[in-house]
């Protein structure tokens, strides 16, 4: 039964037990999902109302469709007054925690409103059954199905696996039906735009990252837009879904056009073929047709799923260990260290490797911190055995860091999953995809101008905001952030004072509308991260230019440069690499007449003026 606080308010914390022979307890109560041996006898898909009640209702429809297709009998309940859903199934044969976790992962990958916690805890996982009271005074009410389904179980483990495999096959990265095999042309929705039929899914991690990326002065904004659109098309989005995101950084190409011969951009006209509406429609049609003609899939690599599962398991364990380290991430440099650790985990998942190359500037931009902060955070994490340096930085390559200091991931992944024949196909890919989505959303939410140190609300506030994706109690937040209650309450009060979150009866909830931009404007921090990204781009360009200059100076029998820089991609130049660069700026060395040294300040000014813009355009 639910724990009660000092004021008599029931908490979302079910610890105390209540005899079944006694009348129902006077507080909300739940039943465990496993038997005394830790095997699951009941499953429940807890669909929470995080921001919009329609989310849980939409996910309910998706799950009911797949459950019915797999022949799984189920009962749907309205869990409380806010509109959450509980979908219950009873098992005719017990299922182990590995299979149930795989099923929960597959459902969570497809239905973002799922709270997988009860299904991932074979010891204390529990949920309020039909008829049990809620803390808000309502009760769990049956909407669909007959309670006799739960009293006379019929679902088998084979049906669970088939259900999970159906969900896994509906996501990017797993073979899907080729739209070219459909009868007739690509369909058109009610707004007159083409689309690919199927269940709408979350935006893939690469497309989500492109959507949040600000194109630099010399960057190709159209490539960011293309990455967003092909991911949206593959995820079965419609044109109106992407049109609603037109103000996002990655959609810059659809909003603005580049002035002829310059790096600056201006708003597109409101009418005609160059308007935002026409450009977005044109590229959306291209993206849909591209995905339809070349559906994305993992191919025939039999090792992909085991490798994905091994890296995902490592990241899960690392994140769990980090969450169980109170105080480590909430004081001093802790918030910055946790961001860097999360970004390294994300890079490992994306690269399907435990060792990743981490250039401190790119790492800093991903984490929303400065490059020196990122560098020292890496050293602190290594000193406390969270990571280990596998290779120092050398030349143009950044240092390589391993998130598995104890080498727990098997080298030979074909033995990493001994129960692969009994687990749903695609379970490893689903587990990896879910973690990529989680860490991408977390880093994107925390990486904002409003959470800068000093003038902004601070890194801890950003980390707290990023984890508050739904209504959460202060106790649960303190446990996930690793902060003491007083520190967390001050942080929450600051966030609430600026309208980013708001208090509710059950704790805290995110604001319905994202106000980070408005608060950053009020604090005077808007544009700081974009300026930092531009500065780091200049630094990288200057460094590359200088290394090319050094190569020319030390080349045996070096020849004179060609006059001027060639507007070609370096790989296409017939000659030496330095032929595509202009002469590096130099100045007279004091006290040494006739000796001229490289002037890095002038080189940076030249880069900002666009002297290397032809290289970016070619690339």
């Amino acid at each position: 039964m639910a724990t009660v606080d000092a004021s008599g308010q029931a908490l979302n914390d079910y610890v105390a037990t209540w005899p079944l022979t006694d009348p129902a307890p006077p507080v909300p109560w739940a039943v465990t999902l496993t038997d005394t041996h830790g095997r699951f006898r009941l499953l429940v898909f807890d669909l929470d109302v995080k921001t919009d009640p329609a989310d849980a209702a939409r996910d309910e429809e998706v799950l009911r469709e797949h459950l019915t297709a797999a022949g799984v009998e189920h009962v749907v309940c309205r869990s409380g007054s806010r509109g959450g859903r509980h979908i219950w199934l009873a098992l005719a044969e017990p299922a182990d925690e590995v299979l149930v976790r795989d099923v929960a992962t597959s459902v969570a990958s497809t239905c973002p409103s799922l709270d997988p916690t009860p299904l991932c805890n074979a010891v204390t996982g529990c949920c309020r059954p039909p008829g049990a009271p809620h803390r808000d005074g309502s009760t769990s009410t049956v909407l669909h199905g007959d309670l006799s389904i739960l009293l006379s179980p019929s679902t088998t483990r084979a049906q669970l696996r088939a259900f999970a495999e159906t969900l896994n096959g509906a996501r990017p990265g797993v073979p899907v039906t080729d739209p070219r095999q459909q009868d007739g042309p690509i369909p058109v929705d009610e707004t007159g735009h083409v689309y690919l039929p199927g269940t709408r899914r979350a935006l893939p991690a690469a497309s989500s990252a492109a959507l949040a990326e600000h194109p630099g002065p010399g960057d190709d904004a159209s490539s960011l837009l293309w990455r967003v659109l092909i991911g949206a098309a593959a995820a079965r989005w419609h044109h109106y879904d992407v049109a609603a995101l037109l103000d996002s950084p990655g959609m810059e190409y659809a909003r603005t056009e580049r002035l002829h011969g310059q790096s600056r951009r201006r708003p597109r006209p409101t009418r005609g073929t160059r308007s935002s509406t026409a450009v977005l429609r044109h590229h959306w049609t291209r993206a849909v047709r591209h995905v339809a003609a070349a559906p994305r899939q993992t191919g025939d690599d039999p090792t992909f799923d085991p490798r994905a599962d091994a890296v995902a398991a490592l990241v899960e364990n690392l994140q769990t260990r980090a969450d169980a380290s109170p105080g480590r991430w909430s004081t001093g440099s802790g918030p910055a260290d946790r961001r860097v650790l999360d970004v390294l985990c994300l890079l490992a998942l994306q690269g399907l490797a435990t060792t990743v190359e981490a250039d401190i500037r790119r790492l800093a931009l991903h984490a929303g911190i400065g490059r020196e902060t990122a560098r020292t955070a890496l050293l602190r994490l290594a000193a406390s055995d969270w990571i280990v340096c596998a290779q120092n930085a050398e030349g143009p390559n950044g240092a390589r860091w391993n998130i598995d200091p104890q080498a727990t991931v098997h080298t030979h992944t074909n033995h990493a999953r001994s129960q692969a024949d009994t687990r749903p196909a695609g379970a490893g890919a689903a587990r990896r995809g879910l973690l990529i989505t989680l860490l991408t959303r977390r880093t994107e939410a925390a990486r904002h101008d409003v959470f800068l140190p000093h003038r902004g609300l601070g890194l801890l506030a950003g980390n707290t905001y990023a984890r508050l994706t739904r209504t959460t109690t202060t106790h649960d937040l303190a446990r996930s952030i690793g902060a003491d209650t007083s520190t967390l309450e001050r942080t929450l009060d600051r966030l609430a004072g600026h309208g980013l979150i708001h208090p509710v009866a059950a704790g805290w909830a995110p604001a319905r509308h994202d106000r980070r931009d408005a608060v950053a404007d009020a604090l005077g921090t808007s544009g700081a991260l974009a300026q930092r990204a531009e500065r780091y781009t200049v630094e990288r360009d200057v460094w590359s230019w200088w290394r090319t200059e050094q190569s020319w100076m030390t080349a045996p029998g070096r020849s004179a440069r060609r006059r001027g820089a060639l507007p070609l991609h370096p790989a296409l130049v017939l000659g030496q690499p330095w032929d595509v660069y202009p002469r590096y700026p130099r100045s007279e060395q004091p006290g040494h007449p006739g000796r001229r040294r490289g002037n890095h300040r002038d080189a940076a000014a030249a880069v900002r003026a666009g002297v290397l813009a032809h290289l970016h355009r070619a690339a």
Side-chain angles (χ1 to χ4, degrees):
M1 64 178 187
T3 304
V4 179
D5 63 15
S7 63
Q9 179 70 36
L11 304 176
N12 189 28
D13 191 14
Y14 295 83
V15 179
T17 57
W18 186 266
L20 288 175
T21 55
D22 291 356
V27 294
W29 51 277
V31 294
T32 54
L33 306 181
T34 57
D35 57 23
T36 55
H37 300 289
R39 298 170 300 182
F40 281 85
R41 300 284 183 165
L42 291 169
L43 298 188
V44 59
F45 302 123
D46 182 4
L47 306 179
D48 288 342
V49 176
K50 297 180 179 179
T51 53
D52 187 352
D55 294 340
R58 181 170 55 246
D59 287 347
E60 175 206 338
E61 292 181 8
V62 172
L63 282 184
R64 291 189 64 197
E65 176 184 346
H66 286 284
L67 287 168
T68 301
V72 177
E73 294 185 309
H74 54 280
V75 175
V76 181
C77 297
R78 180 189 293 111
S79 65
S81 61
R82 297 191 66 223
R85 297 289 193 269
H86 288 166
I87 302 181
W88 287 87
L89 6 155
L91 304 181
E93 50 187 2
D96 61 49
E97 57 183 318
V98 175
L99 174 59
V100 173
R101 186 201 62 197
D102 288 342
V103 172
T105 299
S106 300
V107 174
S109 299
T110 305
C111 302
S113 66
L114 177 76
D115 178 7
T117 305
L119 299 174
C120 296
N121 190 338
V123 179
T124 60
C126 61
C127 191
R128 292 181 303 107
H134 193 280
R135 287 170 295 160
D136 62 11
S138 61
T139 58
S140 178
T141 307
V142 175
L143 298 178
H144 304 284
D146 192 322
L147 285 180
S148 62
I149 293 173
L150 304 183
L151 300 176
S152 302
S154 62
T155 301
T156 64
R157 291 192 295 267
Q159 286 177 307
L160 281 184
R161 285 193 292 273
F163 165 62
E165 288 171 354
T166 302
L167 292 173
N168 294 342
R171 289 191 336 279
V174 180
V176 296
T177 301
D178 189 339
R180 293 173 296 180
Q181 299 174 358
Q182 298 173 353
D183 295 330
I186 297 176
V188 176
D189 63 18
E190 63 272 18
T191 64
H193 297 89
V194 294
Y195 73 100
L196 297 178
T199 303
R200 184 184 186 276
R201 303 182 295 271
L203 201 63
S207 299
S208 182
L211 186 66
E213 185 174 343
H214 292 269
D219 292 343
D220 183 6
S222 63
S223 65
L224 289 179
L225 176 66
W226 182 248
R227 283 160 53 194
V228 172
L229 295 184
I230 60 172
R236 300 325 189 239
W237 285 30
H238 287 245
H239 176 271
Y240 50 77
D241 293 319
V242 295
L245 303 175
L246 191 60
D247 292 332
S248 301
M251 306 284 279
E252 179 73 20
Y253 184 82
R255 294 193 307 270
T256 63
E257 59 184 3
R258 179 173 291 174
L259 295 172
H260 182 67
Q262 302 182 36
S263 60
R264 294 188 299 113
R265 305 184 68 87
R266 66 182 177 189
R268 290 187 177 274
T270 56
R271 296 181 180 179
T273 58
R274 290 173 27 240
S275 67
S276 296
T277 303
V279 169
L280 185 59
R281 180 188 181 101
H282 169 71
H283 287 286
W284 171 251
T285 302
R286 285 182 58 224
V288 171
R289 296 191 182 282
H290 172 79
V291 174
R296 299 183 302 172
Q297 49 190 328
T298 60
D300 299 324
D301 181 5
T303 70
F304 178 84
D305 205 48
R307 288 188 292 119
D309 188 71
V311 176
L314 170 67
V315 170
E316 273 186 358
N317 291 336
L318 186 60
Q319 290 288 321
T320 300
R321 186 161 63 94
D323 291 342
S325 302
R328 173 62 179 85
W329 317 109
S330 59
T331 58
S333 60
D337 294 353
R338 185 57 192 268
R339 288 199 189 185
V340 169
L341 182 64
D342 287 348
V343 172
L344 289 176
C345 288
L346 179 58
L347 295 176
L349 288 165
Q350 292 172 339
L352 214 61
T354 59
T355 301
V356 297
E357 182 178 329
D359 165 34
I360 60 171
R361 288 176 177 81
R362 297 188 187 279
L363 187 63
L365 293 177
H366 276 298
I369 57 180
R371 65 172 184 274
E372 182 62 18
T373 302
R375 186 186 69 82
T376 54
L378 288 169
L379 297 178
R380 286 189 296 266
L381 290 171
S384 51
D385 293 329
W386 290 97
I387 60 176
V388 64
C389 183
Q391 182 178 329
N392 293 323
E394 182 178 356
N397 301 316
R400 296 178 63 82
W401 298 90
N402 191 311
I403 63 170
D404 186 20
Q406 289 76 35
T408 57
V409 173
H410 293 271
T411 303
H412 302 287
T413 55
N414 56 324
H415 299 298
R417 291 172 61 188
S418 59
Q419 294 180 322
D421 58 330
T422 64
R423 297 178 63 181
R431 192 177 184 185
R432 168 180 174 261
L434 185 62
L435 284 169
I436 287 177
T437 300
L438 169 67
L439 292 175
T440 299
R441 289 176 177 172
R442 180 184 296 177
T443 54
E444 288 177 356
R447 184 185 62 224
H448 195 278
D449 296 325
V450 72
F451 299 126
L452 292 176
H454 310 306
R455 290 185 299 161
L457 299 181
L459 299 182
L460 179 60
N463 294 356
T464 304
Y465 176 84
R467 285 162 175 77
L468 192 61
T469 57
R470 59 183 177 183
T471 300
T472 312
T473 65
T474 304
H475 174 71
D476 290 340
L477 269 177
R479 186 166 48 190
S480 64
I481 296 296
D484 60 87
T485 304
S486 60
T487 299
L488 181 61
E489 286 180 345
R490 289 194 299 270
T491 302
L492 292 170
D493 288 340
R494 293 186 69 194
L495 291 170
H498 288 89
L500 297 173
I501 63 174
H502 60 90
V504 294
W508 298 89
R512 190 170 185 82
H513 301 289
D514 188 354
R515 298 193 67 253
R516 289 178 298 170
D517 289 342
V519 177
D521 287 338
L523 296 175
T525 59
S526 291
L529 291 180
Q531 293 172 6
R532 178 183 291 165
E534 183 177 356
R535 184 169 67 252
Y536 289 173
T537 299
V538 170
E539 292 175 357
R540 281 195 294 266
D541 285 347
V542 170
W543 173 239
S544 178
W545 191 4
W546 176 243
R547 282 189 56 81
T548 304
E549 185 77 2
Q550 288 179 315
S551 298
W552 171 74
M553 290 188 297
T554 57
R558 69 187 186 204
S559 58
R561 271 196 182 85
R562 299 181 183 184
R563 301 178 67 88
L566 303 179
L568 299 171
H569 190 285
L572 303 179
V573 174
L574 298 178
Q576 299 298 331
W578 49 77
D579 287 331
V580 299
Y581 283 89
R583 294 185 180 277
Y584 199 84
R586 293 180 177 275
S587 58
E588 196 78 26
Q589 184 175 353
H592 298 276
R595 294 183 60 178
R596 299 173 61 81
R597 302 179 61 181
N599 190 321
H600 306 309
R601 181 174 298 177
D602 287 354
V607 169
R608 283 192 289 268
V611 71
L612 302 183
H614 64 286
L615 295 177
H616 290 287
R617 287 195 299 269

